[in-house]
Amino acid sequence: MNRVWTKASAILLVVVSLLFNGTYALAASATSNYVVTFQQATLVSNDHVGNEWAIAAQAGGKSIEEGSSVKIKVKPGGSIQLYAYAEEQDKIPDEGEARKNVKVSTISAKGSTVKLRVTVTENRGRYSGNQAVWEFTYKIKKQ
């Protein structure tokens, strides 16, 4: 009877150990869902760069329209890459872009607001060297 109990105990110990190790491994690699909203792009300043603009934004490599949201899966300890682009449209366009990696560990429970500044420098003409500055605002929240 002692020998049967020992084998049963050993088998039970192995099964429990596998279960806990498997659960821990699954939990450690689980992803979390985040919602990124591109709230707005605002032209903060414009020193004679131009008046016809195109903008673009991305979150986690996904294009996102102003006022819209995208869902992104991120592993623990990971980050979400935000991207902003502004282009003054004329015969020879002027453009600027910005990127930022936001670590998910820095996102508060209520969500976090992140702003990117994009500077566009005039490249031709009498206003060459002048700049326009755009501010892109994103809201990131864990789902």
Side-chain angles (χ1 to χ4, degrees):
M1 177 142 173
N2 207 7
R3 185 178 256 173
V4 172
W5 178 250
T6 305
K7 284 184 180 180
S9 296
I11 291 171
L12 183 61
L13 184 60
V14 169
V15 170
V16 169
S17 176
L18 288 173
L19 284 175
F20 280 117
N21 286 338
T23 301
Y24 177 74
L26 288 174
S29 64
T31 59
S32 296
N33 292 318
Y34 290 83
V35 175
V36 180
T37 303
F38 173 31
Q39 293 181 316
Q40 65 182 3
T42 305
L43 183 58
V44 176
S45 65
N46 185 358
D47 187 14
H48 297 90
V49 175
N51 58 5
E52 293 182 32
W53 295 93
I55 59 166
Q58 292 181 355
K62 298 178 183 179
S63 292
I64 182 172
E65 297 293 324
E66 196 169 9
S68 297
S69 300
V70 293
K71 292 181 183 177
I72 300 171
K73 291 184 178 188
V74 184
K75 292 182 180 181
S79 61
I80 298 170
Q81 185 181 67
L82 301 178
Y83 173 78
Y85 174 84
E87 177 182 283
E88 181 269 329
Q89 299 182 313
D90 61 10
K91 194 184 290 185
I92 302 171
D94 306 311
E95 54 189 22
E97 62 185 356
R99 286 180 169 77
K100 184 171 188 174
N101 287 318
V102 179
K103 293 183 179 181
V104 294
S105 61
T106 66
I107 299 170
S108 73
K110 293 181 181 179
S112 297
T113 299
V114 179
K115 296 183 181 205
L116 268 69
R117 285 201 167 228
V118 175
T119 301
V120 179
T121 303
E122 179 64 44
N123 60 15
R124 297 271 195 271
R126 70 178 180 177
Y127 297 113
S128 183
N130 288 14
Q131 295 182 328
V133 178
W134 284 85
E135 185 174 77
F136 287 65
T137 305
Y138 302 82
K139 176 79 173 192
I140 306 173
K141 188 165 183 166
K142 188 174 181 179
Q143 211 174 24

